Amino acid sequence: MSGGGAGAAIGGQRAKAATTRTEYYLALGDSLAAGVGSPDGKGYVPDLFKKASKKSKKEHASLVLENLACSGATTGSMIDGPGCDYSTGTQLGDAEAFLEAHPGQTAFVTIDIGANDVDDCTSGTTINETCVTNGLNAVSTNLPVILSGLTSAGGTTPIVGMSYYDPFLAAWLLGAAGRRWRNRVSGCSTI
């Protein structure tokens, strides 16, 4: 480096350049992580990124957002596709590739996935309980596969499961069948 930059000679010795390391926030999931339905830049991923970026700057790190979320994603499509345009063909494949390409550089991963596995199980006031059961079984089967892949690729990178708002609370008003379905989907037994 020439001139008076950070690496310029000072008193016969090279001054150490101030190093700013780059860290990444990897966001995965469905429409909530993709920001669908929120004003531009107002979803939870950009909000979390903004807060984490302020903390990173205090720790001399530059945080970069890598958002691979795909609106409409299910636990199955995250693993096997189809979905958004991914170089490996799947959201999980691209996430694993990203983590492997940035060892020790990913500050954290957030994931919200599973709502679309049961989202189409209602029609008006009718609840398709078989659909709900199948969707919950898919989540139970696929989520460990997803988390195992992320852990294998990312090592000790923290993975934070994001919680959903309860889109099925209104089912409570549909009577006994609605309450049973809502409790099963939401994991609740009482309100």
Side-chain angles (χ1 to χ4, degrees), residues 62-180:
S62 174
L63 190 66
V64 175
L65 173 62
E66 181 70 15
N67 191 342
L68 298 178
C70 182
S71 181
T74 64
T75 57
S77 71
M78 182 176 257
I79 297 168
D80 298 319
C84 295
D85 187 24
Y86 296 111
S87 61
T88 64
T90 69
Q91 187 174 168
L92 180 59
D94 274 24
E96 291 168 339
F98 182 86
L99 290 167
E100 290 167 354
H102 300 90
Q105 291 180 281
T106 305
F108 60 97
V109 177
T110 58
I111 182 170
D112 67 77
I113 194 73
N116 291 321
D117 290 77
V118 295
D119 197 37
D120 291 329
C121 294
T122 62
S123 177
T125 59
T126 304
I127 300 164
N128 182 335
E129 292 193 35
T130 302
C131 176
V132 172
T133 299
N134 292 341
L136 293 176
N137 287 340
V139 172
S140 295
T141 299
N142 295 333
L143 194 54
V145 172
I146 293 166
L147 294 175
S148 176
L150 295 173
T151 301
S152 293
T156 60
T157 301
I159 301 170
V160 181
M162 305 306 283
S163 136
Y164 285 101
Y165 58 92
D166 187 349
F168 304 110
L169 186 57
W172 192 263
L173 302 174
L174 299 176
R179 286 190 286 278
R180 278 194 311 276

Side-chain angles (χ1 to χ4, degrees), residues 31-47:
S31 59
L32 290 179
V36 173
S38 67
D40 189 37
K42 299 297 182 189
Y44 86 81
V45 169
D47 286 347

